[in-house]
């Protein structure tokens, strides 16, 4: 059975990515991005062929427009695995449109 789009990483790989991201998120004080930054990240993901509509096929993480705990896009410490958007720090200047 052939498919044009690659599947999500295995469950074990997704767990590893999640716990690695969670560790970084905790080290960053569980800081989240602003609503504007969240929507900017989501817009970039929506244009990416690795985006399923709910998850990233590269890392398997959940990516949505909701500012919830399990949403990688909302975590300030997270970066796109394809380097399409960076992790943010206190020193990172605000996003401009």
């Amino acid at each position: 059975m052939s498919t044009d789009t690659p599947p999500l990483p295995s469950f074990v790989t997704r767990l590893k990515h999640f716990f690695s991201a969670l560790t970084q998120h905790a080290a960053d004080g569980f800081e989240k991005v602003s609503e504007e930054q969240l929507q900017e990240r989501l817009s970039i993901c929506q244009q990416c062929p690795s985006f399923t509509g709910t998850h990233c096929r590269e890392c398997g993480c959940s990516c949505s427009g909701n500012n919830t705990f399990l949403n990688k896009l909302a975590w300030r410490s997270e970066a796109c695995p394809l380097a399409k958007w960076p992790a943010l720090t206190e020193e990172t200047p605000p996003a401009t449109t």
Side-chain angles (χ1 to χ4, degrees):
M1 180 166 115
S2 171
T3 175
D4 292 342
T5 55
L8 290 174
S10 72
F11 181 72
V12 171
T13 298
R14 287 185 287 164
L15 276 178
K16 286 178 186 177
H17 289 164
F18 175 76
F19 283 109
S20 174
L22 182 59
T23 300
Q24 291 176 28
H25 187 45
D28 189 44
F30 296 101
E31 292 292 330
K32 293 186 177 183
V33 299
S34 70
E35 184 63 30
E36 178 183 336
Q37 291 163 327
L38 175 66
Q39 293 307 316
E40 183 178 339
R41 287 178 171 191
L42 179 59
S43 177
I44 292 167
C45 290
Q46 288 171 332
Q47 297 172 41
C48 181
S50 292
F51 185 58
T52 69
T54 58
H55 290 80
C56 172
R57 283 189 186 94
E58 298 299 316
C59 62
C61 292
S62 174
C63 301
S64 72
N66 298 323
N67 201 352
T68 61
F69 179 72
L70 296 178
N71 179 17
K72 174 181 181 170
L73 300 181
W75 295 3
R76 183 176 76 171
S77 59
E78 283 304 291
C80 171
L82 298 174
K84 294 186 178 199
W85 46 266
L88 301 174
T89 64
E90 291 180 25
E91 294 81 30
T92 304
T96 58
T97 54

